[in-house]
Amino acid sequence: MSNQARTLKAIKFDRENIKLEILNQLVLPYATTYIPITTIEDAFNSIKSMQVRGAPAIAIVGAFAVVVDTFNYLNSQNSGDRGVNELLQSLDFLISSRPTAVNLANAISDIRTLLAKYDSTQPLNEEIYNQLLEYATNLYDEDLANNYKIGENGLNYIRDSLKEEGFEGPFSIVTICNTGSLATSGHGTALGIIRSTYQALNKDQSKEKFHLEKIYPLETRPYNQGAKLTSYELDYEKIPFTLICDNMVSSLINTLNSESESKSNNSEPVKFIIVGADRIVENGDTANKIGTFQLATIANYFNSAQNTNIKFIVAAPRTTIDLKTKQGSQIKIEERPKHELTTLVGPQLNGQEVGDKVTVGIATPGIDVWNPAFDVTPHSLIDAIVTENTKVYTKDLNGEFDLSS
Ligand code: MRU
């Protein structure tokens, strides 16, 4: 286990030597350790155990794993006895690692389409391998380019919304889970918008009358992606933030937004809640990290009862849109093991010293636990869906999204 310098690069793929490594997110932010992935089984295990997580990142790791697995096999001694059908079977296995995020399913469906032109008994060969390589590298490159576009489109939406409202002064943004570089090929989706917005609005030469003062990332129980990963990314990039627990959001908004209204101090009201997505279905209902739905509900309460104007934004590449599923009730929600709620795992800290990993119990042993990894936010509570398309999706007069193009 090597501990290298801090980094935000979740996936390293060596295009010359065909080697794949992932940053072990289970030991962040305390250690920087890359794990080699040489087979589809390695990828399955790392995705299931959440060493790599985030909808776009798991799709990219899945696609690269198919490439390295095929490459290693073609360069091995028993090359020649594995057919297309065996690869197809291992794709079924890979997809079962995490069922809610559609990106992995979409990538595997693309790979199946690519393999469909071969007879299932056809042995794997160089031609097939080259197509897999081209597909996976394009997936990575396009994800990265799209994340920068999402950042730009989100920034424009934020700027236009604040201008339209005539808002002036500092504002803040609430976000959940980790949707940044660590969850994608780089830059991120919801966190990508936050990055792009901070960079644009906080420059000395910014002409706007408003600026992004602070980010409030949620801890994101039970896996704490906000506390461990989003805080790590924001700290790395020196974007000001204050970590809060998931159950502090209503109080936070009540405090910040009412203080700013009474003008008693120059506090930074929450103007946007920006979240990622694991699957956005045809009508706009969105599966994302458990706790997202309650954020949308809270924004809705404040907007209707307290007259605030908090916009709830979903950010994702179009590879997260699942037009084959009509509504959120049809989304399969992954349930995770009980111990993720009843225990905490982390290194022992003695002052500055990071010690060995320990598990501590935080609940009555043997109790019943419900641990869904995601929830579904109804489209009625979503103001905007930001993708790489310049057009930001908003609802028509009937309250419906059209995500078809
Ligand atoms: O369980 P995780 O950590 O994989 O959940 C991640 C999320 O819910 C993200 O918001 C989503 O995958 C989008 S990441 C760009």
Side-chain angles (χ1 to χ4, degrees):
M1 230 170 75
S2 67
N3 199 0
Q4 303 153 28
R6 298 200 319 160
T7 175
L8 296 185
K9 200 163 180 52
I11 304 164
K12 278 206 244 176
F13 182 68
D14 177 342
R15 295 183 190 202
E16 265 171 34
N17 300 304
I18 314 300
K19 293 210 180 324
L20 174 64
E21 288 183 319
I22 55 147
L23 182 61
N24 183 0
Q25 299 191 28
L26 294 180
V27 297
L28 282 176
Y30 303 102
T32 306
T33 307
Y34 280 94
I35 301 171
I37 303 289
T38 58
T39 62
I40 289 176
E41 196 175 352
D42 285 349
F44 174 93
N45 292 330
S46 67
I47 292 170
K48 185 134 191 107
S49 68
M50 312 236 309
Q51 286 171 329
V52 60
R53 27 66 49 204
I58 60 183
I60 293 165
V61 167
F64 276 142
V66 172
V67 173
V68 289
D69 191 297
T70 308
F71 176 82
N72 292 339
Y73 161 74
L74 289 176
N75 288 290
S76 71
Q77 285 181 340
N78 43 2
S79 160
D81 58 7
R82 197 189 287 178
V84 164
N85 47 1
E86 272 181 70
L87 182 54
L88 288 169
Q89 275 168 23
S90 54
L91 295 181
D92 287 335
F93 165 70
L94 185 56
I95 217 170
S96 67
S97 55
R98 296 203 70 191
T100 304
V102 75
N103 309 54
L104 177 63
N106 281 347
I108 287 177
S109 153
D110 290 344
I111 293 175
R112 278 190 216 288
T113 308
L114 188 150
L115 295 172
K117 55 179 180 279
Y118 299 97
D119 189 277
S120 65
T121 55
Q122 157 80 49
L124 295 177
N125 59 25
E126 202 69 17
E127 181 187 300
I128 295 174
Y129 161 74
N130 283 330
Q131 290 184 49
L132 295 171
L133 176 64
E134 191 186 347
Y135 174 76
T137 49
N138 281 344
L139 187 70
Y140 181 96
D141 295 345
E142 278 167 21
D143 187 65
L144 191 57
N146 287 340
N147 290 342
Y148 283 99
K149 289 184 193 157
I150 292 171
E152 197 60 26
N153 296 337
L155 160 67
N156 289 335
Y157 178 80
I158 285 174
R159 205 186 253 140
D160 293 348
S161 304
L162 293 174
K163 275 189 181 163
E164 196 181 317
E165 191 192 329
F167 181 84
E168 292 183 10
F171 68 95
S172 59
I173 296 177
V174 167
T175 191
I176 188 169
C177 198
N178 173 264
T179 58
S181 295
L182 297 171
T184 62
S185 53
H187 197 66
T189 56
L191 202 52
I193 295 181
I194 288 171
R195 277 196 168 96
S196 299
T197 303
Y198 185 75
Q199 281 157 16
L201 298 186
N202 293 53
K203 281 194 189 126
D204 288 344
Q205 62 270 39
S206 166
K207 291 188 188 68
E208 309 302 348
K209 294 186 174 136
F210 40 76
H211 67 272
L212 176 54
E213 180 79 11
K214 196 176 268 186
I215 312 306
Y216 288 94
L218 266 61
E219 173 192 33
T220 318
R221 281 280 293 150
Y223 227 74
N224 301 326
Q225 291 96 327
K228 289 179 181 166
L229 307 176
T230 300
S231 69
Y232 174 77
E233 291 205 32
L234 292 169
D235 181 54
Y236 187 95
E237 303 221 316
K238 309 232 173 323
I239 299 175
F241 70 97
T242 297
L243 179 69
I244 57 167
C245 292
D246 302 358
N247 49 8
M248 294 175 182
V249 179
S250 303
S251 277
L252 177 84
I253 296 175
N254 205 33
T255 307
L256 292 181
N257 292 43
S258 58
E259 275 176 6
S260 89
E261 225 123 277
S262 68
K263 304 275 183 237
S264 61
N265 71 5
N266 199 22
S267 80
E268 62 287 357
V270 175
K271 296 301 295 173
F272 302 94
I273 297 178
I274 314 184
V275 303
D278 284 80
R279 190 181 290 250
I280 304 169
V281 298
E282 196 191 19
N283 69 354
D285 292 353
T286 296
N288 190 49
K289 181 51 54 196
I290 190 78
T292 302
F293 183 12
Q294 85 187 9
L295 282 179
T297 313
I298 291 169
N300 189 261
Y301 163 77
F302 278 98
N303 288 346
S304 50
Q306 310 271 331
N307 221 11
T308 58
N309 189 3
I310 302 169
K311 292 262 165 35
F312 189 86
I313 305 174
V314 171
R318 280 197 59 90
T319 48
T320 307
I321 297 179
D322 169 14
L323 293 174
K324 290 196 211 105
T325 304
K326 296 258 171 268
Q327 57 193 38
S329 56
Q330 295 165 302
I331 302 174
K332 180 172 180 199
I333 300 293
E334 173 191 358
E335 289 203 20
R336 303 227 15 121
K338 294 178 182 183
H339 66 78
E340 289 179 1
L341 244 84
T342 57
T343 59
L344 284 178
V345 185
Q348 214 161 13
L349 298 179
N350 304 314
Q352 299 285 54
E353 216 175 286
V354 179
D356 288 340
K357 195 170 85 168
V358 287
T359 301
V360 292
I362 53 163
T364 305
I367 56 169
D368 188 29
V369 163
W370 184 48
N371 185 15
F374 305 100
D375 59 25
V376 177
T377 302
H379 65 280
S380 58
L381 297 179
I382 299 171
D383 291 295
I385 298 176
V386 179
T387 69
E388 64 271 27
N389 282 1
T390 318
K391 170 182 83 174
V392 169
Y393 298 94
T394 51
K395 287 175 285 195
D396 63 18
L397 293 175
N398 298 319
E400 299 302 330
F401 282 108
D402 177 5
L403 302 175
S404 58
S405 60

